[in-house]
Structures are given as structure tokens and as C-alpha cells.
Amino acid sequence: KEHPKILAAYGGAYEDPELQRYVDSLGQLLAQTSELPDQTWTFTVLNSDTVNAFALPGGYIYVTRGLIALAEDEAELAGVIGHEIGHVTARHAAQRYGQSLLTGIGAVAAGILLGGQAANIASGIGQMHVASYSREQENEADSLGIRYMARAGHDPAAMSSFLRKLEAQKQL
């Protein structure tokens, strides 16, 4: 249900069939080395120059063309995709989704009990709580991504080189 919303938010899928096939092929190879090789995996290149990658429950992995441009080689891109596969195999996205449902229920309850502005504040705090993965979840996804990269024959050191590039880009 979320896939069309993601496409709309990021300018659609990038219209380059060769690049899409390449990213899908790399993603499928990495996914086959994961703990969920029989899951259906969907890898989509988004038409956005923003440097971003993320995963949704059910094996949906997204990378933007901006992220692909920042990656120097296949191993760096494999590190990012492996990391996102790690979020799915560890069920981090599903955990966040469950937390967001609880947050929504809490916001409704706050609205009933507190009314108005207090409910808006409670809802905002709850959404900030589930807005990103925890440091523990990020570390776990990194470890899993490194495992998948190594199993697929890529140099795991490429993940740290890409993270340095990402930090430098962020500083700009």
C-alpha cells in the first residue's frame, strides 16, 4: 500500500531501465545471501537527487539516483543496499510501523483526554520517537549489510568508505 505513496513523494521511479535492472540484480544477489532468500524483494531507483535509501516491510528497498551518484563503485552501493536489506531481515521497519500505530492510538487517546494543543504536542513527540531507527537498529543493519556484502563477494570496507562520503556530503 505504501509503494505508490513512496513513488509519488520521490518523483516516481527513475526512467532508466538499464540502471533499474542493474540495481535490481545487485539487490537480488545480496538478498539471496540474507536470512530471507525466499522472500520477494523489490528494488526501486527513485527519481530524486536527494541522497537517500530506505526499506519498507515486505522487502521493498529504495535508493535514489542521488545516492547512486554518490557511490563510487558497486561495492559502496552494495553496502547501502545490504544495510537496507538488513533492516528488513531484522524486521526494523515492521517494528517502527507497529510503534507508529501505537503512537497514533496514543495521540487519539490524548486528544480525547487532553484535547486541543496538548494532544498535538503528544502526537508530535510520539512521531519524533518513531521517525528514525535507533542507533542499535542502525548498528545491526550495518552488521547484517557487511555480512551480505562479504557473502556476495564485495569488500566490506566499502561500507565505511561510503559512510565517510555520506558524512562529508551531509556537512556540505
Side-chain angles (χ1 to χ4, degrees), residues 36-105:
L36 298 174
D38 296 328
Q39 177 164 323
T40 300
W41 294 88
T42 303
F43 298 91
T44 304
V45 178
L46 296 171
N47 189 21
S48 172
D49 59 356
T50 302
V51 177
N52 200 3
F54 52 94
L56 293 180
Y60 287 85
I61 309 291
Y62 301 90
V63 295
T64 62
R65 61 181 171 78
L67 183 135
I68 293 169
L70 185 63
E72 188 170 316
D73 57 27
E74 182 174 278
E76 288 186 351
L77 183 57
V80 172
I81 294 172
H83 173 93
E84 297 306 329
I85 291 170
H87 279 305
V88 174
T89 60
R91 301 188 41 79
H92 296 158
Q95 291 166 7
R96 275 183 23 178
Y97 181 72
Q99 289 173 338
S100 71
L101 288 178
L102 289 175
T103 299
I105 292 168

